[in-house]
Amino acid sequence: MKIFNTKIAGTGSFVPDRVVTNHDLSQRIDTNHNWIVERTGIHERRISDLSKGECPSGMAKIAAQKAIEAANLTVNDIDLILFSATLPDQSMPNTAAVLQEKLGITNHCGALDVNAACSGWVYLLPMADAMIKTGLYKHILVVGSEMLSAFNNWDDRNTCILFGDGCGAAVLGRASENEDSKIFSSILTCDSTKKDHLTLMAGGACKRITHEVLNNNEQWMTMNGQEVFKAAVKTMAGHAEKVVKDANLSMEDIDWFIPHQANLRIIEAVGNRFNIPINKVIVNVDRYANTSSASVPIALDEAIREGKIKRGDHLLLATFGAGLTAGAVCLQY
Ligand code: UT7
């Protein structure tokens, strides 16, 4: 069987125009700009506006159009849509199906939603890679689109300061014989012993949204921040080291490290573990906060469009999220 190499053919991203600063939050809850910056590195976040269609599929439409254009393709070249969202547009139809229609794709390509929380988009990369390598699909649209503002308790200072909305997308396709692009290695894990540290229990099949749920204020995300922090540093650092080794590379060979944008202290702690200089780390958590599974593809797209990441560069991606899921990928762009 002929094996193909996978390349990131094009990327795109979208963030809403509406900026919410730390100062804005301090008008509502007992917090302040300095605390948030010291503990997280976050200065502001973007919040979507449903009246402008900025739901997960709506944000994804714009990011995906940019990614398809950057890949020099048209919408009907896409033969599979993989869509990561922690909270989809609605339970049915799936958000990937809604996106297919919004993009005007008429080839009836497969359309699948995936939820691995913040790790979702990185989780999808090795899956798409396997399907492209084997020749099953030619052009897979991989989307991470998140509207955390919909389940973020704006009265809970422990969580609400951390999150924002946005979308990142990439088209994965076959590298031609004269291109070096490939996905070298990956790891996907989940430590379910820590699953209760980050939850949104109401709104699924087991706990419907009822008056009682609303009265008890249970419709929001809850988090044990310190436990998530510790697990994130340990797991991301371990995974990053493993995929680089599995790629037969050393940390010095990595041109750009693109970590999940959850907290600048987490990013710095992970980088320090393997001595990756901060000028090789893509950071936008200061501007967008944590956009869950959109964070890595937004950072990737911005760095490509800014001309930082160039063809041939070795990239290291690492993420973690509720579950506690985690993943890392090492690739040549
Ligand atoms: O994609 C995964 C998503 N989750 C994460 O990435 C979360 C990872 N965890 C974190 O980023 C950090 O744990 C936080 C930023 C959430 C919290 O930082 P921390 O350094 O762990 O602070 P802490 O929870 O230990 O709180 C320290 C103090 C507490 O006051 P006392 O008990 O020492 O008097 C908190 O009540 O800071 C207080 N505090 C705040 N103060 C001002 C907690 N939140 C705030 C706030 N503003 N927003």
Side-chain angles (χ1 to χ4, degrees):
M1 188 174 75
K2 187 164 169 48
I3 296 287
F4 302 94
N5 282 327
T6 302
K7 77 166 180 181
I8 296 178
T11 61
S13 61
F14 172 83
V15 291
D17 284 339
R18 186 176 162 212
V19 176
V20 172
T21 63
N22 295 339
H23 177 71
D24 294 333
L25 293 180
S26 70
Q27 306 298 302
R28 179 178 178 133
I29 50 167
D30 180 15
T31 190
N32 60 77
H33 176 73
N34 289 345
W35 189 96
I36 299 174
V37 172
E38 262 171 39
R39 302 287 175 128
T40 71
I42 296 166
H43 289 239
E44 58 189 40
R45 70 284 296 138
R46 301 299 180 97
I47 299 300
S48 62
D49 179 348
L50 281 178
S51 72
K52 293 185 186 167
E54 291 169 348
C55 58
S57 67
M59 293 190 284
K61 177 187 171 186
I62 299 169
Q65 282 171 333
K66 291 180 187 168
I68 293 166
E69 193 188 329
N72 287 319
L73 298 172
T74 61
V75 290
N76 278 318
D77 293 318
I78 299 300
D79 48 14
L80 183 66
I81 301 171
L82 300 176
F83 197 115
S84 160
T86 306
L87 193 67
D89 276 19
Q90 61 282 310
S91 297
M92 286 194 291
N94 59 329
T95 312
V98 178
L99 178 61
Q100 187 198 71
E101 183 187 52
K102 284 189 176 171
L103 286 172
I105 295 177
T106 53
N107 63 11
H108 295 186
C109 68
L112 173 75
D113 284 17
V114 162
N115 179 355
C118 301
S119 306
W121 191 83
V122 171
Y123 253 56
L124 287 171
L125 290 186
M127 297 178 196
D129 179 39
M131 292 190 275
I132 284 169
K133 258 189 184 135
T134 50
L136 201 53
Y137 293 99
K138 274 191 179 163
H139 301 117
I140 305 181
L141 176 62
V142 186
V143 178
S145 192
E146 301 277 10
M147 190 177 155
L148 288 110
S149 57
F151 57 100
N152 199 2
N153 182 353
W154 293 103
D155 293 320
D156 177 5
R157 71 175 185 171
N158 292 303
T159 53
C160 77
I161 55 148
L162 291 175
F163 298 101
D165 300 335
C167 176
V171 176
L172 267 60
R174 287 179 190 172
S176 61
E177 308 252 308
N178 55 358
E179 289 175 316
D180 292 328
S181 304
K182 65 164 76 158
I183 293 185
F184 295 117
S185 53
S186 64
I187 179 170
L188 307 178
T189 64
C190 175
D191 179 358
S192 57
T193 63
K194 298 189 172 66
K195 70 181 183 346
D196 297 332
H197 293 321
L198 190 46
T199 63
L200 173 60
M201 298 308 278
C206 295
K207 193 174 234 184
R208 310 297 302 276
I209 301 273
T210 59
H211 288 298
E212 196 188 349
V213 164
L214 296 176
N215 288 340
N216 293 338
N217 226 11
E218 291 173 308
Q219 69 276 33
W220 310 117
M221 169 174 33
T222 65
M223 185 180 70
N224 182 342
Q226 289 187 352
E227 289 300 326
V228 176
F229 191 110
K230 279 187 280 180
V233 174
K234 196 170 161 214
T235 315
M236 280 216 292
H239 286 11
E241 277 176 322
K242 178 165 170 39
V243 291
V244 170
K245 192 165 168 237
D246 289 350
N248 288 320
L249 297 172
S250 70
M251 280 300 170
E252 290 75 50
D253 299 318
I254 298 301
D255 296 295
W256 295 102
F257 174 41
I258 309 171
H260 174 39
Q261 307 286 314
N263 182 323
L264 188 59
R265 282 160 57 215
I266 296 178
I267 294 172
E268 286 171 347
V270 173
N272 286 341
R273 289 233 179 163
F274 43 73
N275 282 327
I276 194 148
I278 194 72
N279 61 357
K280 281 187 168 188
V281 186
I282 305 292
V283 176
N284 65 19
V285 67
D286 52 326
R287 289 176 290 133
Y288 303 141
N290 179 347
T291 56
S292 189
S293 71
S295 94
V296 170
I298 292 174
L300 173 69
D301 178 55
E302 286 193 341
I304 290 170
R305 286 174 191 269
E306 283 166 16
K308 284 183 180 164
I309 294 178
K310 299 191 174 58
R311 282 285 168 206
D313 282 355
H314 291 136
L315 309 186
L316 169 61
L317 320 182
T319 189
F320 70 94
L324 291 179
T325 55
V329 174
C330 186
L331 63 91
Q332 184 156 8
Y333 174 62

